[in-house]
Amino acid sequence: MTSPRPDAPALTPLAPASIAKPFARYSHGIAVPAGYRLVACSGQLGVAADGSIPEDARGQADLCFANIAAILAEAGMKLSDIVRLNAYVTDRAHMKGYMESRDAHVATPPPASTLMIVSGFTLPEFKVEIEVLAAAP
């Protein structure tokens, strides 16, 4: 149980012994202390401000997290404040790149997380979309 900020109460990962352990680096649940603010981010695609789109899933996921970081910064939050993450990839082959990016960008304890394989996004170039819920004092 660690806190994203030293002066804040700890986020509590929820891991009941009665269910299987997570398949990867995520928490089954995260308890958010009373009094925290919440920020919900819409799904972010791997597109830069200039409209460029990286070709690989890792590059797109890294850009998704950069976009999310910018949104959270507007609310005075950081990526370490993410408590819930939903991610979508267009093929199982993109899971590795996405998961490497996720593991590089999320804090400990890792957020509650869902990963889904979908048929596509608004442009065929997109391989990854990520949406988050963040909480901070």
Side-chain angles (χ1 to χ4, degrees):
M1 293 187 275
T2 63
S3 173
R5 299 179 179 169
D7 59 331
L11 295 171
T12 305
L14 305 173
S18 61
I19 65 175
K21 292 186 186 309
F23 292 118
R25 189 171 176 268
Y26 64 89
S27 297
H28 281 306
I30 294 287
V32 176
Y36 269 44
R37 299 176 302 119
L38 295 177
V39 170
C41 292
S42 294
Q44 295 299 301
L45 294 161
V47 59
D50 66 3
S52 63
I53 302 168
E55 288 187 31
D56 65 310
R58 172 68 194 257
Q60 287 189 22
D62 286 343
L63 192 47
C64 290
F65 279 111
N67 292 344
I68 290 166
I71 294 165
L72 293 177
E74 289 266 323
M77 292 185 185
K78 302 182 221 174
L79 291 174
S80 59
D81 295 316
I82 295 171
V83 296
R84 175 82 180 123
L85 189 150
N86 292 327
Y88 312 89
V89 297
T90 56
D91 193 285
R92 278 185 174 78
H94 304 315
M95 289 172 57
K96 183 178 186 287
Y98 157 72
M99 291 171 77
E100 288 171 349
S101 180
R102 178 201 62 199
D103 291 351
H105 290 96
V106 300
T108 299
S113 181
T114 298
L115 173 60
M116 291 176 262
I117 299 169
V118 297
S119 63
F121 301 114
T122 54
L123 295 175
E125 295 87 357
F126 292 128
K127 296 174 173 72
V128 180
E129 183 171 349
I130 303 169
E131 61 186 23
V132 304
L133 180 65

